[in-house]
């Protein structure tokens, strides 16, 4: 139990997907202009990362690693292809499902849902899980908490950028430049949680 | 011909994928601690983008729009698997330091972004060069950040010692957060040199 809690905390803070491994940065920078937007995208990332984590864990363990289902052959080199296909398919399926059963949620997520399939945080989380050889419970926990960490980071950044609109930024730094600097400062803050 | 030149020159400065188009940032920040992985990554991204553009652009007239994204992802994934296997076979140490980031070329937005923005609407040859030079523009930024961080953080360049004896290593530049500061500073320099690139608002 203690091990799981420490895994959760580690995945959320010192090993934060966005700020320590710099994953999902493109949407992190591009979609953090408004808090609502960041909130919707963050929730979608938590959800997709978690579901894909479970599915890809099963694919890795039962289909790719040598075992009875693939006649003892080692198919792990096909990992990338299988994982990205799973993610793209999950996102597509999720989109249809949400559209049918909760149109209001679908409207609020809007364009971000399809964008998630190319968010590197998802594929990255799944690849880390495979590389570190987590068992089933740990990988569910890991994927969920790293999604949560990503959500936290993007909402915080969106909040700061909201405030920034009233400050006086040098011309060349406007927009992208200052966002990088803020993200760098946030990354430093999150690193202080190391050893928690 | 003018188009071809534009496709080749633009991504190096005016339309640099990292500092202007906001594409492919994740990997750029993560692999720039040392020069060797950065150079490998840049080469990988350049080749994958170029060939993915070439393949998608050759098939652009008969790929059904409904399954477009899946097909693009599959093409890119196959290319990345090839690159990954080559790295593992020839430079195993580097492939260990890059760990998951080779796989992440698949979701590198440069590749998909250039496919969506250029290859689906242009013939194969310009697409190939567009991919290639976007990769080079990415590599340019990657190498400058990596050189800075390796020289000041570890006192070496491509593993060769360059700093004099007695130089105290700056531990901060090797932290991930320093990557943000470096790219932020690069954006600032670039935009100050070319004022038309400054963002409004």
């Amino acid at each position: 139990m203690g091990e799981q809690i420490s895994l959760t905390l580690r995945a959320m803070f010192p090993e934060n997907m966005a700020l320590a491994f710099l994953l999902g940065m493109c949407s992190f920078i591009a979609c953090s202009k408004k808090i609502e937007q960041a909130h919707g995208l963050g929730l979608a990332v938590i959800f997709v990362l978690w579901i894909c984590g479970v599915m890809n864990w099963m694919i890795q363990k039962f289909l790719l690693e040598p075992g009875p289902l693939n006649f003892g052959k080692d198919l792990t080199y096909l990992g990338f292809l299988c994982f990205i296909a799973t993610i793209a398919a999950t996102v597509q399926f999720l989109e249809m499902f949400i559209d049918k059963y909760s149109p209001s949620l679908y409207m609020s997520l809007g364009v971000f849902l399809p964008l998630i399939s190319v968010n590197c945080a998802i594929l990255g989380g799944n690849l880390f899980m495979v590389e570190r050889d987590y068992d089933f419970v740990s990988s569910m926990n890991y994927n969920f908490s790293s999604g949560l960490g990503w959500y936290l980071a993007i909402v915080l950044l969106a909040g700061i950028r909201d405030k920034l609109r009233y400050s006086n930024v040098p011309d060349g730094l406007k927009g992208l430049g200052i966002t990088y600097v803020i993200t760098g400062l946030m990354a430093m803050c999150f690193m202080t949680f190391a050893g928690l | 011909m003018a188009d071809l030149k534009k496709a080749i020159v633009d991504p190096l400065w005016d339309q640099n994928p990292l500092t202007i188009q906001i594409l492919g940032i994740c990997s750029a920040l993560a692999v720039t601690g040392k020069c060797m992985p950065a150079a490998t990554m840049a080469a990988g991204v350049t080749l994958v983008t170029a060939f993915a553009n070439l393949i998608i652009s050759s098939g652009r007239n008969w790929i059904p729009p409904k399954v477009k994204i899946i097909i693009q992802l599959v093409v890119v994934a196959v290319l990345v698997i090839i690159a990954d296997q080559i790295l593992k076979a020839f430079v195993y140490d580097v492939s260990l330091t890059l760990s998951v980031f080779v796989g992440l070329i698949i979701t590198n937005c440069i590749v998909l972004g250039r496919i969506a923005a250029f290859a689906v609407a242009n013939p194969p040859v310009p697409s190939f060069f567009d991919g290639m030079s976007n990769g080079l523009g990415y590599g340019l930024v990657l190498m400058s950040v990596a050189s800075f961080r390796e020289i000041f953080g570890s006192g070496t360049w491509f593993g060769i010692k360059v700093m004099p004896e007695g130089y105290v290593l700056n531990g901060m530049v090797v932290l991930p957060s320093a990557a943000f500061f470096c790219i932020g500073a690069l954006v600032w320099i670039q935009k100050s040199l070319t004022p038309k690139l400054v963002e409004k608002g």
Side-chain angles (χ1 to χ4, degrees):
Chain A
M1 194 59 208
E3 206 180 304
Q4 293 300 328
I5 294 175
S6 93
L7 180 64
T8 308
L9 287 176
R10 206 170 63 227
M12 272 179 74
F13 296 109
E15 294 189 2
N16 186 296
M17 269 294 162
L19 296 171
F21 289 116
L22 318 157
L23 292 176
M25 258 307 136
C26 316
S27 37
F28 187 78
I29 302 260
C31 298
S32 57
K33 280 186 186 128
K34 286 203 192 94
I35 295 190
E36 296 81 42
Q37 228 181 18
H39 171 76
L41 182 67
L43 284 185
V45 165
I46 298 182
F47 194 61
V48 175
L49 183 55
W50 194 56
I51 294 208
C52 290
V54 173
M55 287 175 52
N56 282 338
W57 186 88
M58 288 178 178
I59 289 180
Q60 171 76 13
K61 287 291 172 217
F62 299 134
L63 290 179
L64 298 177
E65 285 178 5
L69 280 180
N70 55 22
F71 310 106
K73 288 197 180 63
D74 185 7
L75 297 178
T76 40
Y77 63 90
L78 286 177
F80 296 151
L81 195 56
C82 295
F83 296 160
I84 196 69
T86 315
I87 294 171
T90 310
V91 172
Q92 192 96 55
F93 181 73
L94 200 72
E95 206 183 332
M96 294 192 295
F97 184 82
I98 296 180
D99 187 21
K100 180 112 170 103
Y101 289 97
S102 167
S104 59
L105 180 64
Y106 183 76
M107 287 304 286
S108 66
L109 285 177
V111 68
F112 297 117
L113 213 48
L115 272 184
I116 290 179
S117 50
V118 288
N119 184 321
C120 22
I122 314 279
L123 184 62
N126 288 179
L127 289 176
F128 273 127
M129 164 189 92
V130 167
E131 206 181 66
R132 295 175 189 168
D133 214 8
Y134 284 137
D135 62 26
F136 187 65
V137 179
S138 307
S139 56
M140 285 220 304
N141 182 0
Y142 175 75
N143 280 313
F144 184 74
S145 6
S146 41
L148 206 60
W150 200 88
Y151 168 82
L152 198 66
I154 192 172
V155 170
L156 284 175
L157 178 66
I160 298 178
R161 284 183 75 172
D162 235 8
K163 292 270 175 225
L164 205 70
R165 238 170 267 155
Y166 305 104
S167 46
N168 202 358
V169 181
D171 267 356
L173 264 181
K174 259 182 201 154
L176 189 54
I178 193 73
T179 313
Y180 276 126
V181 177
I182 294 172
T183 320
L185 290 173
M186 281 174 66
M188 281 173 108
C189 302
F190 268 64
M191 267 178 59
T192 55
F193 286 111
L196 200 69
Chain B
M1 201 58 216
D3 283 353
L4 193 59
K5 186 163 167 265
K6 199 168 147 55
I8 295 174
V9 176
D10 261 10
L12 295 180
W13 187 266
D14 282 2
Q15 283 296 323
N16 189 293
L18 275 175
T19 54
I20 307 296
Q21 300 182 60
I22 329 188
L23 293 177
I25 301 164
C26 336
S27 55
L29 293 162
V31 300
T32 49
K34 289 257 161 57
C35 287
M36 200 54 203
T40 320
M41 191 71 188
V45 169
T46 308
L47 290 179
V48 170
T49 318
F51 282 102
N53 261 1
L54 182 69
I55 294 170
I56 295 293
S57 155
S58 320
R60 72 188 188 283
N61 292 328
W62 48 265
I63 293 177
K66 267 191 182 163
V67 292
K68 206 171 59 184
I69 294 201
I70 303 247
I71 290 190
Q72 289 166 356
L73 280 176
V74 168
V75 168
V76 177
V78 169
L79 288 170
V80 170
I81 290 180
I82 295 173
D84 185 48
Q85 296 291 322
I86 292 177
L87 282 182
K88 279 199 177 123
F90 293 104
V91 278
Y92 190 66
D93 299 338
V94 180
S95 87
L96 281 187
T97 38
L98 285 174
S99 90
V100 301
F101 289 100
V102 181
L104 289 177
I105 298 179
I106 301 175
T107 50
N108 190 313
C109 353
I110 294 185
V111 183
L112 284 169
R114 290 327 291 176
I115 288 176
F118 200 92
V120 290
N122 287 285
V125 175
S127 300
F128 181 79
F129 284 109
D130 177 80
M132 185 96 120
S133 99
N134 269 287
L136 289 179
Y138 166 86
L140 201 69
V141 176
L142 218 62
M143 286 320 294
S144 23
V145 175
S147 305
F148 179 82
R149 290 178 70 191
E150 194 180 343
I151 290 175
F152 290 101
S154 321
T156 54
W157 193 64
F158 280 101
I160 307 159
K161 209 159 169 44
V162 288
M163 282 312 214
E165 286 297 320
Y167 170 74
V168 182
L169 299 180
N170 184 343
M172 207 201 95
V173 255
V174 289
L175 300 180
S177 49
F180 288 109
F181 297 136
C182 293
I183 297 201
L186 268 184
V187 173
W188 194 2
I189 296 172
Q190 187 187 7
K191 287 188 175 165
S192 312
L193 290 178
T194 320
K196 69 170 176 188
L197 298 176
V198 171
E199 284 169 57
K200 303 282 178 302

